[in-house]
């Protein structure tokens, strides 16, 4: 790919947007966690530009591509996504006037499709049965056909994904927000950047911090964005050696936590956020003292049908 001169105006806009990425609040979950001596917290990751935890890697990937002269306002960013990274790319791309092309599984929620359209992204749909694995194959195919036309972001293999959480990002925020008291970090595996990057840095800040990864308990799960590692295409950025422990989460269990958190904490969280909390609470059951931190990757805003189903069941 031919690298081009960086647009000064684009650099100014990039610097302006950086203030709206990350720096999310840490929410104490004192009403759903009652065990004496054990404190559970969640980072409210939807409170940043792009509306989810994926704003961090999306911005870092875009920033480094621009600085390397690989991405500009004439060359579209191309990637595959189940939804949240796509929306983050699209929101940031809209603010920077950079075109975005996304390969998206057809079964992504209608809210996600609407948001991508609103932000002006080009959507290339793939089979609802292939999930993000097939979407990745399609993105790779498009790039191989037109390598000079696209910047292929490749979130599943791009080191700037996990580094968004490692370099002055998620891990440092968590450590500072807990005054260094964090003892356990727990989160689910999707692209795996959140877990790998945050976990690596937390271990450097304090080697005693325990890291627990989460994944669905079967391949036919309902946790959008999560990967069942035994059956899915494993992201190249994943490092299985980062985790001290791994737990499996049932989709229905996550749905039950959506209801509990709404009624007890006043937060409407997504299924993946609720699954993260389910994992954090499992860790809480096993210890007598500690400060457990998990991520709430996004809110329930983009999961209309799931929310209707979960809350109409009156769990």
């Amino acid at each position: 790919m031919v690298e081009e001169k960086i647009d000064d105006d684009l650099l100014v806009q990039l610097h302006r947007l950086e203030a709206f990425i990350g720096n999310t609040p840490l929410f104490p979950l004192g009403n759903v966690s009652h065990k004496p001596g054990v404190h559970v917290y969640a980072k409210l990751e939807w409170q940043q530009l792009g509306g989810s935890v994926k704003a961090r890697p999306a911005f870092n990937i875009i920033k480094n591509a621009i600085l390397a002269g690989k991405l500009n306002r004439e060359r579209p960013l191309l990637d595959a996504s189940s939804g949240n990274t796509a929306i983050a790319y699209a929101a940031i791309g809209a603010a920077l006037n950079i075109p975005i092309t996304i390969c998206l599984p057809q079964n992504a929620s209608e809210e996600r499709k609407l948001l991508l359209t609103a932000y002006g992204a080009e959507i290339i749909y793939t089979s609802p049965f292939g999930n993000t694995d097939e979407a990745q194959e399609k993105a790779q195919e498009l790039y191989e056909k037109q390598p000079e036309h696209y910047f292929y972001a490749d979130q599943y293999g791009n080191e700037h994904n996990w580094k968004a959480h490692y370099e002055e990002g998620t891990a440092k925020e968590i450590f500072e927000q807990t005054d260094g008291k964090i003892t356990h970090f727990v989160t689910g595996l999707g692209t795996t950047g959140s877990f790998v990057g945050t976990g690596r840095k937390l271990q450097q800040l304090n080697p005693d911090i325990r890291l627990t990864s989460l994944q669905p308990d079967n391949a036919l799960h309902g946790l959008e964005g999560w990967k069942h590692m035994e059956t899915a295409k494993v992201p190249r950025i994943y490092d299985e050696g980062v985790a001290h422990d791994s737990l499996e989460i049932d989709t229905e269990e996550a749905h039950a936590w959506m209801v509990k958190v709404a009624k007890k904490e006043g937060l409407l969280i997504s299924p993946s956020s609720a699954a993260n909390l389910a994992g954090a609470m499992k860790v809480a059951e096993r210890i007598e003292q500690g400060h457990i931190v998990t991520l709430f990757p996004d809110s329930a805003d983009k999961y209309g049908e799931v929310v209707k189903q979960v809350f109409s069941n009156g769990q």
Side-chain angles (χ1 to χ4, degrees), residues 58 61-62 77 79 85-94 100 102 153-155:
I61 288 170
I62 287 173
L77 178 149
D79 210 348
T85 306
I87 292 167
Y89 281 144
I92 295 165
I100 304 294
I102 297 295
D154 187 19
Q155 63 162 321

Side-chain angles (χ1 to χ4, degrees), residues 37-86:
V38 179
H39 308 273
V40 181
Y41 309 86
K43 289 275 279 178
L44 306 188
E45 288 294 288
W46 65 81
Q47 296 193 18
Q48 56 185 317
L49 182 69
S52 79
V53 67
K54 299 299 187 179
R56 296 176 187 266
F59 183 82
N60 204 40
I61 288 170
I62 287 173
K63 179 180 75 172
N64 281 279
I66 290 172
L67 294 177
K70 297 178 180 179
L71 179 64
N72 56 50
R73 288 168 171 162
E74 305 301 322
R75 178 179 293 136
L77 178 149
L78 169 68
D79 210 348
S81 171
S82 63
N84 273 339
T85 306

Side-chain angles (χ1 to χ4, degrees), residues 15 30 35 42 51 62 74 76 100 119 121 123 140 165 170 189 191 195 202 206 208 213 245 251 283 305:
H15 179 71
K35 190 171 184 179
I62 287 173
E74 305 301 322
I100 304 294
Y119 288 134
I123 306 173
Q140 182 67 41
H165 305 280
T170 318
L189 300 176
T191 62
F195 181 76
L202 286 174
N206 180 358
D208 291 331
S213 65
D245 305 290
T251 299
V283 172
E305 289 304 315

Side-chain angles (χ1 to χ4, degrees), residues 266-305:
L267 298 174
L268 290 174
I269 62 175
S270 68
S272 59
S273 295
N276 275 352
L277 179 57
M281 296 302 288
K282 288 178 186 294
V283 172
E285 292 172 1
R286 299 177 176 185
I287 65 175
E288 297 303 320
Q289 287 190 331
H291 294 261
I292 303 167
V293 177
T294 190
L295 305 178
F296 282 176
D298 57 350
S299 69
D301 291 352
K302 300 184 287 294
Y303 303 86
E305 289 304 315

Side-chain angles (χ1 to χ4, degrees), residues 52-165:
S52 79
V53 67
K54 299 299 187 179
R56 296 176 187 266
F59 183 82
N60 204 40
I61 288 170
I62 287 173
K63 179 180 75 172
N64 281 279
I66 290 172
L67 294 177
K70 297 178 180 179
L71 179 64
N72 56 50
R73 288 168 171 162
E74 305 301 322
R75 178 179 293 136
L77 178 149
L78 169 68
D79 210 348
S81 171
S82 63
N84 273 339
T85 306
I87 292 167
Y89 281 144
I92 295 165
L96 296 174
N97 195 26
I98 288 175
I100 304 294
T101 299
I102 297 295
C103 294
L104 183 79
Q106 182 68 49
N107 61 346
S109 71
E110 292 303 316
E111 292 88 351
R112 294 184 181 207
K113 296 173 184 176
L114 180 61
L115 283 170
L116 288 172
T117 301
Y119 288 134
E122 178 187 6
I123 306 173
I124 298 173
Y125 289 110
T126 59
S127 168
F129 306 107
N131 298 314
T132 54
D133 292 349
E134 185 172 317
Q136 288 178 68
E137 293 172 3
K138 182 63 176 179
Q140 182 67 41
E141 176 188 329
L142 289 172
Y143 176 67
E144 289 175 355
K145 287 181 178 179
Q146 296 179 282
E148 296 302 322
H149 177 66
Y150 293 110
F151 164 68
Y152 181 35
D154 187 19
Q155 63 162 321
Y156 298 93
N158 193 320
E159 66 176 6
H160 296 300
N161 183 326
W162 67 266
K163 285 184 176 180
H165 305 280

